[in-house]
Amino acid sequence: MKAVCAKQYGPLQNLQVCDMPKPEVQASKILVRVHAAGLHIGDCFTVRGTPFVVRMETGWRRPKSGVPGYDFSGVVEAVGEGVTDFAVGDEVYGECPGSCAEFVLVAKDKLTAKPNGLSHVEAAAMPTSALAALHALRDVAKLQASESLLINGASGGIGTFAVQIAKAFGAEVTGVCSGNNASLVKSLGADHVVDYNAVDFTNSGNQYDCIFDNVENRNLSDIRRVLKPSGTLICNSGTGASGLAFWIRLLKPLVLSPFSKQRLCRYLSVPTRKDLEVLSEMVSDEKLRPVVSEVYRLDSVAKALQDLESGRTVGKRVVRVIEA
Ligand SMILES: NC(=O)c1ccc[n+]([C@@H]2O[C@H](COP(=O)([O-])OP(=O)(O)OC[C@H]3O[C@@H](n4cnc5c(N)ncnc54)[C@H](OP(=O)(O)O)[C@@H]3O)[C@@H](O)[C@H]2O)c1
């Protein structure tokens, strides 16, 4: 099969389209022919092998598979022994390492039926980012109707889903993004949009029940000023720092949180079939739709990941593995 692959950790330009053995179906697993693969910043980390912690999953000295991508949408090619709820020909979407390839072998609890009405490209845009938004707002923040939420990075991969999910929960949403993306964030349902080039939201005088920070470009003390005394701050970015600075930024909110009434949190979003089904239902109910800003060919994955690293992604970037 064709796949995009880099045999060593290093620059994104190392990625090349190569021939690899097609995975063989195994018990309790589903072989999926990938139509589209969604990308997110974590795919850049796994190609570069930094931050170093990603190697716990991808291999210490060199990448185990070297194929980037987690999110996919495609069609079931074969099912393993013990799989009764999927059949050959079913359209599915979900998460599996190495989705920038013609086939992936997926655990049965990491995929579900593709949402009705979405193309494969749109469905592939959803899993990691939409689940990260759902887990932050539903499970970490326990966001309630009429609570106020500020989303920093509201126009990016996670932010565009978070705005819609928060509105579906009945929250009052303020989205922070550049002026160029203000109308998009508004169209997704945000009640207020702050252009960070015009207004510093940490000096606005407002206070929020919850802040979902996908950028972490501000001092923790500045952010806490606009969080209510018993509010929840969800820190959700590992980028923009390296070495000791990375660890300090990662750990500081967690160390301070026990000494404050404010909850200062980080979290790890773990995909489940049950929560993919929650997303599908929100799509069916017209409460959620992916924003796909750019579609790439399989031989342009390196370019797609470079574009992601620019920090200027609007919604999601997706690779079309099977040309329409
Ligand atoms: N916790 C987890 O389990 C989990 C899972 C997945 C990802 N993540 C993390 O989540 C973070 C966000 O991911 P993402 O996919 O949403 O990133 P992304 O799509 O790359 O976000 C890009 C967005 O950031 C915005 N941005 C850039 N500078 C900004 C600023 N100064 N103020 C406000 N917004 C700014 C940009 O908006 P403008 O162009 O409008 O400036 C752009 O739309 C990443 O750091 C990733 O590592 C965590």
Side-chain angles (χ1 to χ4, degrees), residues 91-139:
E91 293 192 316
V92 290
Y93 80 129
E95 276 198 33
C96 177
S99 64
C100 290
E102 287 181 309
F103 294 93
V104 281
L105 188 59
V106 190
K108 64 180 180 182
D109 59 342
K110 299 291 182 194
L111 82 175
T112 193
K114 179 168 80 67
N116 286 334
L118 291 192
S119 66
H120 283 296
V121 164
E122 289 171 316
M126 293 192 56
T128 297
S129 301
L131 287 176
L134 179 71
H135 293 155
L137 300 179
R138 183 194 64 186
D139 303 341

Short mmCIF file of all heavy atoms in Angstrom, two decimals, residues 91-139:
data_model
loop_
_atom_site.label_atom_id
_atom_site.label_comp_id
_atom_site.label_asym_id
_atom_site.label_seq_id
_atom_site.Cartn_x
_atom_site.Cartn_y
_atom_site.Cartn_z
N GLU A 91 -19.17 2.72 6.05
CA GLU A 91 -18.39 3.97 6.11
C GLU A 91 -18.15 4.30 7.58
O GLU A 91 -19.10 4.38 8.37
CB GLU A 91 -19.15 5.11 5.43
CG GLU A 91 -19.27 4.89 3.91
CD GLU A 91 -19.75 6.14 3.20
OE1 GLU A 91 -20.70 6.78 3.71
OE2 GLU A 91 -19.17 6.47 2.15
N VAL A 92 -16.89 4.49 7.95
CA VAL A 92 -16.54 4.68 9.37
C VAL A 92 -15.55 5.83 9.51
O VAL A 92 -14.90 6.24 8.54
CB VAL A 92 -15.89 3.39 9.95
CG1 VAL A 92 -16.92 2.28 10.09
CG2 VAL A 92 -14.71 2.93 9.10
N TYR A 93 -15.44 6.34 10.74
CA TYR A 93 -14.39 7.32 11.03
C TYR A 93 -13.89 7.09 12.45
O TYR A 93 -14.58 6.49 13.27
CB TYR A 93 -14.87 8.76 10.81
CG TYR A 93 -15.69 9.39 11.92
CD1 TYR A 93 -15.35 10.63 12.43
CD2 TYR A 93 -16.82 8.75 12.44
CE1 TYR A 93 -16.11 11.23 13.43
CE2 TYR A 93 -17.58 9.34 13.44
CZ TYR A 93 -17.22 10.58 13.93
OH TYR A 93 -17.97 11.16 14.90
N GLY A 94 -12.67 7.55 12.73
CA GLY A 94 -12.13 7.34 14.06
C GLY A 94 -10.67 7.70 14.14
O GLY A 94 -10.17 8.52 13.37
N GLU A 95 -9.99 7.05 15.09
CA GLU A 95 -8.57 7.36 15.36
C GLU A 95 -7.72 6.11 15.33
O GLU A 95 -8.11 5.08 15.88
CB GLU A 95 -8.43 7.99 16.75
CG GLU A 95 -8.68 9.46 16.75
CD GLU A 95 -8.13 10.15 17.99
OE1 GLU A 95 -7.09 9.71 18.53
OE2 GLU A 95 -8.75 11.13 18.42
N CYS A 96 -6.56 6.23 14.72
CA CYS A 96 -5.60 5.13 14.68
C CYS A 96 -4.25 5.70 14.25
O CYS A 96 -4.20 6.46 13.27
CB CYS A 96 -6.08 4.10 13.66
SG CYS A 96 -4.96 2.73 13.45
N PRO A 97 -3.15 5.39 14.94
CA PRO A 97 -1.86 5.93 14.49
C PRO A 97 -1.54 5.48 13.06
O PRO A 97 -1.82 4.34 12.70
CB PRO A 97 -0.86 5.31 15.48
CG PRO A 97 -1.66 4.82 16.63
CD PRO A 97 -3.03 4.52 16.12
N GLY A 98 -1.00 6.41 12.26
CA GLY A 98 -0.58 6.07 10.90
C GLY A 98 -1.66 6.20 9.86
O GLY A 98 -1.71 5.42 8.90
N SER A 99 -2.52 7.23 9.99
CA SER A 99 -3.66 7.32 9.06
C SER A 99 -3.32 7.93 7.71
O SER A 99 -4.15 7.91 6.80
CB SER A 99 -4.82 8.09 9.71
OG SER A 99 -4.44 9.42 9.97
N CYS A 100 -2.08 8.44 7.54
CA CYS A 100 -1.69 8.95 6.22
C CYS A 100 -1.22 7.78 5.36
O CYS A 100 -0.06 7.70 4.93
CB CYS A 100 -0.62 10.02 6.34
SG CYS A 100 -1.23 11.55 7.07
N ALA A 101 -2.11 6.84 5.15
CA ALA A 101 -1.81 5.60 4.44
C ALA A 101 -3.09 5.09 3.81
O ALA A 101 -4.19 5.51 4.19
CB ALA A 101 -1.27 4.55 5.43
N GLU A 102 -2.95 4.16 2.85
CA GLU A 102 -4.16 3.67 2.17
C GLU A 102 -5.02 2.78 3.08
O GLU A 102 -6.22 2.65 2.87
CB GLU A 102 -3.78 2.91 0.90
CG GLU A 102 -3.30 3.86 -0.20
CD GLU A 102 -2.93 3.14 -1.47
OE1 GLU A 102 -2.14 2.18 -1.40
OE2 GLU A 102 -3.42 3.55 -2.54
N PHE A 103 -4.37 2.13 4.07
CA PHE A 103 -5.13 1.26 4.99
C PHE A 103 -4.66 1.48 6.43
O PHE A 103 -3.47 1.75 6.67
CB PHE A 103 -4.92 -0.22 4.63
CG PHE A 103 -5.50 -0.60 3.31
CD1 PHE A 103 -4.71 -0.56 2.16
CD2 PHE A 103 -6.84 -0.96 3.18
CE1 PHE A 103 -5.24 -0.88 0.92
CE2 PHE A 103 -7.37 -1.29 1.94
CZ PHE A 103 -6.57 -1.25 0.81
N VAL A 104 -5.59 1.33 7.36
CA VAL A 104 -5.23 1.30 8.79
C VAL A 104 -5.96 0.13 9.45
O VAL A 104 -7.07 -0.23 9.03
CB VAL A 104 -5.60 2.60 9.55
CG1 VAL A 104 -4.60 3.71 9.30
CG2 VAL A 104 -7.02 3.06 9.24
N LEU A 105 -5.31 -0.42 10.46
CA LEU A 105 -5.92 -1.51 11.23
C LEU A 105 -6.36 -0.92 12.57
O LEU A 105 -5.52 -0.50 13.37
CB LEU A 105 -4.87 -2.62 11.44
CG LEU A 105 -5.38 -3.92 12.06
CD1 LEU A 105 -6.47 -4.56 11.21
CD2 LEU A 105 -4.22 -4.90 12.23
N VAL A 106 -7.66 -0.88 12.80
CA VAL A 106 -8.20 -0.06 13.89
C VAL A 106 -8.81 -0.94 14.98
O VAL A 106 -9.53 -1.91 14.67
CB VAL A 106 -9.29 0.89 13.34
CG1 VAL A 106 -9.70 1.91 14.39
CG2 VAL A 106 -8.83 1.59 12.07
N ALA A 107 -8.55 -0.60 16.23
CA ALA A 107 -9.21 -1.29 17.35
C ALA A 107 -10.70 -0.96 17.30
O ALA A 107 -11.09 0.17 16.96
CB ALA A 107 -8.60 -0.81 18.67
N LYS A 108 -11.55 -1.94 17.66
CA LYS A 108 -12.99 -1.76 17.44
C LYS A 108 -13.61 -0.68 18.32
O LYS A 108 -14.72 -0.21 18.05
CB LYS A 108 -13.74 -3.08 17.56
CG LYS A 108 -13.71 -3.72 18.92
CD LYS A 108 -14.49 -5.03 18.89
CE LYS A 108 -14.46 -5.66 20.26
NZ LYS A 108 -15.15 -6.94 20.30
N ASP A 109 -12.92 -0.26 19.38
CA ASP A 109 -13.48 0.81 20.22
C ASP A 109 -12.93 2.19 19.85
O ASP A 109 -13.12 3.16 20.58
CB ASP A 109 -13.22 0.52 21.70
CG ASP A 109 -11.74 0.41 22.00
OD1 ASP A 109 -10.96 0.21 21.03
OD2 ASP A 109 -11.35 0.54 23.17
N LYS A 110 -12.25 2.30 18.69
CA LYS A 110 -11.69 3.60 18.27
C LYS A 110 -12.32 4.11 16.98
O LYS A 110 -11.75 4.97 16.29
CB LYS A 110 -10.17 3.49 18.09
CG LYS A 110 -9.41 3.10 19.34
CD LYS A 110 -9.41 4.17 20.41
CE LYS A 110 -8.59 3.76 21.62
NZ LYS A 110 -8.81 4.61 22.78
N LEU A 111 -13.45 3.53 16.58
CA LEU A 111 -14.12 4.02 15.38
C LEU A 111 -15.62 3.83 15.52
O LEU A 111 -16.09 3.08 16.37
CB LEU A 111 -13.59 3.31 14.12
CG LEU A 111 -14.13 1.93 13.73
CD1 LEU A 111 -13.53 1.50 12.40
CD2 LEU A 111 -13.87 0.89 14.77
N THR A 112 -16.34 4.53 14.66
CA THR A 112 -17.80 4.34 14.61
C THR A 112 -18.27 4.74 13.22
O THR A 112 -17.48 5.12 12.36
CB THR A 112 -18.51 5.13 15.73
OG1 THR A 112 -19.85 4.66 15.82
CG2 THR A 112 -18.52 6.62 15.46
N ALA A 113 -19.59 4.62 13.00
CA ALA A 113 -20.15 4.95 11.69
C ALA A 113 -19.90 6.42 11.37
O ALA A 113 -20.05 7.28 12.24
CB ALA A 113 -21.65 4.65 11.68
N LYS A 114 -19.54 6.68 10.13
CA LYS A 114 -19.33 8.08 9.70
C LYS A 114 -20.65 8.84 9.83
O LYS A 114 -21.69 8.31 9.46
CB LYS A 114 -18.86 8.07 8.24
CG LYS A 114 -18.62 9.45 7.65
CD LYS A 114 -17.90 9.37 6.32
CE LYS A 114 -18.78 9.02 5.16
NZ LYS A 114 -19.78 10.02 4.78
N PRO A 115 -20.59 10.08 10.38
CA PRO A 115 -21.85 10.84 10.52
C PRO A 115 -22.53 11.05 9.18
O PRO A 115 -21.87 11.36 8.19
CB PRO A 115 -21.38 12.19 11.10
CG PRO A 115 -20.04 11.94 11.67
CD PRO A 115 -19.43 10.82 10.90
N ASN A 116 -23.86 10.87 9.19
CA ASN A 116 -24.65 11.10 7.96
C ASN A 116 -24.46 12.53 7.49
O ASN A 116 -24.44 13.45 8.29
CB ASN A 116 -26.15 10.90 8.24
CG ASN A 116 -26.47 9.44 8.40
OD1 ASN A 116 -25.76 8.59 7.86
ND2 ASN A 116 -27.52 9.13 9.13
N GLY A 117 -24.33 12.68 6.19
CA GLY A 117 -24.28 14.03 5.63
C GLY A 117 -22.89 14.63 5.58
O GLY A 117 -22.71 15.72 5.05
N LEU A 118 -21.89 13.97 6.17
CA LEU A 118 -20.52 14.49 6.07
C LEU A 118 -19.74 13.70 5.01
O LEU A 118 -19.89 12.48 4.91
CB LEU A 118 -19.76 14.35 7.40
CG LEU A 118 -20.18 15.21 8.59
CD1 LEU A 118 -19.13 15.13 9.68
CD2 LEU A 118 -20.42 16.66 8.19
N SER A 119 -18.91 14.40 4.25
CA SER A 119 -17.99 13.72 3.32
C SER A 119 -16.88 13.07 4.14
O SER A 119 -16.72 13.35 5.34
CB SER A 119 -17.39 14.75 2.36
OG SER A 119 -16.57 15.63 3.10
N HIS A 120 -16.09 12.22 3.50
CA HIS A 120 -14.95 11.62 4.21
C HIS A 120 -13.97 12.71 4.67
O HIS A 120 -13.42 12.63 5.77
CB HIS A 120 -14.22 10.61 3.31
CG HIS A 120 -14.94 9.31 3.18
ND1 HIS A 120 -15.16 8.45 4.23
CD2 HIS A 120 -15.53 8.70 2.10
CE1 HIS A 120 -15.82 7.38 3.84
NE2 HIS A 120 -16.06 7.51 2.53
N VAL A 121 -13.76 13.72 3.84
CA VAL A 121 -12.84 14.80 4.23
C VAL A 121 -13.36 15.51 5.49
O VAL A 121 -12.60 15.76 6.44
CB VAL A 121 -12.66 15.81 3.05
CG1 VAL A 121 -12.05 17.12 3.53
CG2 VAL A 121 -11.78 15.18 1.96
N GLU A 122 -14.65 15.78 5.53
CA GLU A 122 -15.21 16.47 6.71
C GLU A 122 -15.15 15.56 7.95
O GLU A 122 -14.79 16.02 9.04
CB GLU A 122 -16.66 16.87 6.43
CG GLU A 122 -16.78 18.01 5.43
CD GLU A 122 -18.22 18.24 5.00
OE1 GLU A 122 -18.94 17.25 4.73
OE2 GLU A 122 -18.62 19.40 4.91
N ALA A 123 -15.48 14.28 7.76
CA ALA A 123 -15.48 13.37 8.91
C ALA A 123 -14.07 13.20 9.47
O ALA A 123 -13.86 13.14 10.69
CB ALA A 123 -16.07 12.02 8.52
N ALA A 124 -13.07 13.15 8.57
CA ALA A 124 -11.68 12.97 9.02
C ALA A 124 -11.17 14.17 9.80
O ALA A 124 -10.20 14.08 10.55
CB ALA A 124 -10.78 12.71 7.81
N ALA A 125 -11.84 15.31 9.62
CA ALA A 125 -11.43 16.53 10.35
C ALA A 125 -11.82 16.46 11.82
O ALA A 125 -11.35 17.26 12.63
CB ALA A 125 -12.08 17.75 9.70
N MET A 126 -12.68 15.51 12.19
CA MET A 126 -13.30 15.61 13.51
C MET A 126 -12.57 14.93 14.68
O MET A 126 -12.43 15.55 15.75
CB MET A 126 -14.74 15.08 13.44
CG MET A 126 -15.60 15.99 12.57
SD MET A 126 -17.34 15.66 12.70
CE MET A 126 -17.66 15.80 14.42
N PRO A 127 -12.18 13.65 14.57
CA PRO A 127 -11.94 12.90 15.82
C PRO A 127 -11.08 13.60 16.88
O PRO A 127 -11.58 13.94 17.96
CB PRO A 127 -11.32 11.59 15.31
CG PRO A 127 -11.94 11.42 13.96
CD PRO A 127 -12.03 12.81 13.39
N THR A 128 -9.78 13.80 16.63
CA THR A 128 -8.92 14.30 17.71
C THR A 128 -9.38 15.66 18.23
O THR A 128 -9.51 15.87 19.44
CB THR A 128 -7.46 14.41 17.22
OG1 THR A 128 -7.01 13.10 16.89
CG2 THR A 128 -6.55 15.00 18.29
N SER A 129 -9.64 16.58 17.32
CA SER A 129 -9.91 17.96 17.75
C SER A 129 -11.29 18.10 18.38
O SER A 129 -11.44 18.78 19.41
CB SER A 129 -9.77 18.92 16.56
OG SER A 129 -8.48 18.83 16.02
N ALA A 130 -12.30 17.47 17.78
CA ALA A 130 -13.64 17.58 18.35
C ALA A 130 -13.71 16.84 19.69
O ALA A 130 -14.37 17.31 20.63
CB ALA A 130 -14.68 17.05 17.37
N LEU A 131 -13.03 15.69 19.80
CA LEU A 131 -13.03 14.98 21.08
C LEU A 131 -12.28 15.78 22.14
O LEU A 131 -12.69 15.82 23.30
CB LEU A 131 -12.40 13.58 20.92
CG LEU A 131 -13.25 12.54 20.18
CD1 LEU A 131 -12.48 11.24 20.01
CD2 LEU A 131 -14.57 12.27 20.90
N ALA A 132 -11.18 16.43 21.74
CA ALA A 132 -10.43 17.24 22.71
C ALA A 132 -11.32 18.36 23.24
O ALA A 132 -11.31 18.68 24.44
CB ALA A 132 -9.17 17.81 22.06
N ALA A 133 -12.12 18.97 22.35
CA ALA A 133 -13.04 20.03 22.79
C ALA A 133 -14.13 19.46 23.70
O ALA A 133 -14.43 20.03 24.76
CB ALA A 133 -13.67 20.71 21.56
N LEU A 134 -14.70 18.33 23.31
CA LEU A 134 -15.76 17.70 24.12
C LEU A 134 -15.24 17.33 25.51
O LEU A 134 -15.88 17.62 26.53
CB LEU A 134 -16.28 16.45 23.40
CG LEU A 134 -17.37 15.67 24.13
CD1 LEU A 134 -18.69 16.44 24.12
CD2 LEU A 134 -17.58 14.28 23.50
N HIS A 135 -14.07 16.71 25.55
CA HIS A 135 -13.54 16.26 26.84
C HIS A 135 -13.20 17.44 27.75
O HIS A 135 -13.42 17.38 28.96
CB HIS A 135 -12.31 15.36 26.62
CG HIS A 135 -12.67 14.07 25.95
ND1 HIS A 135 -11.79 13.33 25.20
CD2 HIS A 135 -13.85 13.38 25.91
CE1 HIS A 135 -12.41 12.24 24.74
NE2 HIS A 135 -13.65 12.25 25.16
N ALA A 136 -12.68 18.52 27.16
CA ALA A 136 -12.35 19.69 27.97
C ALA A 136 -13.61 20.30 28.58
O ALA A 136 -13.65 20.59 29.78
CB ALA A 136 -11.63 20.73 27.11
N LEU A 137 -14.62 20.48 27.75
CA LEU A 137 -15.79 21.25 28.20
C LEU A 137 -16.77 20.40 29.01
O LEU A 137 -17.32 20.85 30.01
CB LEU A 137 -16.49 21.88 26.99
CG LEU A 137 -15.60 22.83 26.18
CD1 LEU A 137 -16.35 23.38 24.98
CD2 LEU A 137 -15.07 23.96 27.05
N ARG A 138 -16.98 19.17 28.58
CA ARG A 138 -17.94 18.31 29.29
C ARG A 138 -17.32 17.69 30.54
O ARG A 138 -17.92 17.72 31.62
CB ARG A 138 -18.41 17.19 28.34
CG ARG A 138 -19.48 16.28 28.92
CD ARG A 138 -19.66 15.02 28.08
NE ARG A 138 -18.47 14.20 28.07
CZ ARG A 138 -18.30 13.10 27.33
NH1 ARG A 138 -19.27 12.70 26.51
NH2 ARG A 138 -17.17 12.40 27.38
N ASP A 139 -16.10 17.14 30.41
CA ASP A 139 -15.54 16.32 31.50
C ASP A 139 -14.65 17.12 32.45
O ASP A 139 -14.67 16.86 33.65
CB ASP A 139 -14.74 15.15 30.92
CG ASP A 139 -15.59 14.30 29.98
OD1 ASP A 139 -16.82 14.39 30.08
OD2 ASP A 139 -15.02 13.57 29.15
#
